[in-house]
Amino acid sequence: MVLKERQEGVLVLTLNRPERLNALTGELLEALFAALEEANRDQGVRALLLTGAGKAFSAGQDLMEFGEAKPDYEAHLRRYNRVVEALSALEKPLVVAVNGAAAGAGMSLALWGDYRLAATEASFTTAFLRIGLVPDSGMSFLLPRLVGLAKAQELLHLSPRLSAEEALALGLVHRVVPGERLVEEALRQAQELAQGPTRAHALTRKLLLETYRLSLTEALALEAILQGEAGRTLDHEEGVRAFREKRPPRFQGR
Ligand code: T3D
């Protein structure tokens, strides 16, 4: 369901239900959650790359999963929320490579990347309201922050299907590359991040997510606390030493 492959300090996670456009099932979500938890614990993993197998990134919830039965949405959403909490609490930088369609919760997952690349042929649609649901998996939290309230209203209420270039123009992704180069480029980016000051990346993720709900005074206080933590890392010492010695830093992720 989720392929795991180590490429030096990068853990590549591939959603692997290509015959169903990597639509999300309870089983796939459990596998993704376990992989994220394991990656967080593994000191050797210093960056993650998330992508999809086949022609889609993910079509969101598998609408065939429950057959004719009406799912217990609240219970099912707990599985989603565990994954989203794990993504937001990830202590390593996350690169997402959107290889094809990203819809509904599949699009939500993509937005959790710290650096998001899309293949030229990728597309994005919020999809939720088209089937009478509300946005989930953190979409209501992230989307207005990424694109502003007015655009989020349009993308949710009208649910257009955006091309990769349109997604780039809105800031939903950072870069668009030809499909045949997507994974190579995403891996190169993830490997660069994996050579970085891992703790400072983790603390920066935390700051960017938390400061939205804080006042300026609270944000400054949090910056000071986390700067204290970053300042105690060996990577900070190494960064300053390398600057003074006019050489590239060799960060150890500690
Ligand atoms: O707790 C809960 O359950 C609530 C949680 C909700 C989270 C959500 O994610 S809600 C949103 C669910 N997703 C959608 O509504 C997206 C539906 N799919 C689409 O909009 C489009 O299929 C795509 C934009 C993803 C891709 O379009 P395209 O043109 O590339 O492919 P297609 O022809 O529409 O689909 C190809 C096949 O995949 C087709 O099956 P067939 O006819 O070849 O047998 C289609 O039915 C199937 N498929 C597409 N999306 C899903 C799916 N099968 C199951 N679940 C899907 N989500």
Side-chain angles (χ1 to χ4, degrees), residues 40 84-92 112 205 209:
N40 232 4
V84 171
E85 296 281 5
L87 285 168
S88 88
L90 204 56
E91 300 197 344
K92 334 270 166 125
W112 283 97
R205 295 187 100 236
L209 288 173

Side-chain angles (χ1 to χ4, degrees), residues 19-21 23-24 55 58-64 66 71-73 76-77 80 101 103-106 123 125-128 131 133 136-137 161:
E19 70 289 354
R20 274 291 175 88
L21 306 186
L24 305 167
K55 69 171 194 157
S58 171
Q61 168 62 34
D62 186 333
L63 299 175
M64 314 295 180
F66 302 106
D72 176 348
Y73 283 119
H76 191 47
L77 266 203
Y80 276 98
S123 67
T125 180
T126 59
F128 297 98
I131 57 166
L133 289 180
D136 65 23
S137 312
R161 191 165 173 180

Side-chain angles (χ1 to χ4, degrees), residues 43-226:
Q43 300 278 316
V45 173
R46 292 178 57 195
L48 281 88
L49 167 55
L50 178 66
T51 191
K55 69 171 194 157
F57 176 74
S58 171
Q61 168 62 34
D62 186 333
L63 299 175
M64 314 295 180
E65 179 176 17
F66 302 106
E68 294 303 310
K70 198 148 175 71
D72 176 348
Y73 283 119
E74 281 182 48
H76 191 47
L77 266 203
R78 281 198 283 277
R79 292 198 187 105
Y80 276 98
N81 290 352
R82 257 168 35 120
V83 170
V84 171
E85 296 281 5
L87 285 168
S88 88
L90 204 56
E91 300 197 344
K92 334 270 166 125
L94 172 67
V95 173
V96 172
V98 183
N99 51 302
M107 176 170 163
S108 307
L109 291 186
L111 297 185
W112 283 97
D114 303 300
Y115 191 76
R116 302 177 294 280
L117 297 97
T120 320
E121 57 273 31
S123 67
F124 297 79
T125 180
T126 59
F128 297 98
L129 278 101
R130 283 194 185 274
I131 57 166
L133 289 180
V134 300
D136 65 23
S137 312
M139 176 80 80
S140 66
F141 178 89
L142 278 182
L143 193 63
R145 289 167 167 81
L146 288 171
V147 301
L149 181 59
K151 209 59 192 174
Q153 286 167 322
E154 181 187 342
L155 297 186
L156 289 168
H157 290 290
L158 305 183
S159 194
R161 191 165 173 180
L162 302 175
S163 67
E165 286 298 338
E166 288 170 322
L168 178 67
L170 286 177
L172 289 173
V173 295
H174 298 102
R175 209 173 137 207
V176 176
V177 294
E180 65 276 11
R181 286 195 9 239
L182 178 72
V183 172
E184 175 194 330
E185 287 294 320
L187 193 55
R188 196 191 53 68
Q189 190 59 67
Q191 274 164 347
E192 186 183 318
L193 288 166
Q195 304 290 315
T198 312
R199 197 69 208 131
H201 283 297
L203 297 172
T204 300
R205 295 187 100 236
K206 190 178 165 110
L207 271 175
L208 291 180
L209 288 173
E210 299 250 324
T211 48
Y212 270 109
R213 60 181 181 82
L214 302 179
S215 67
L216 174 62
T217 307
E218 291 165 329
L220 291 174
L222 184 62
E223 282 181 356
I225 291 168
L226 300 193

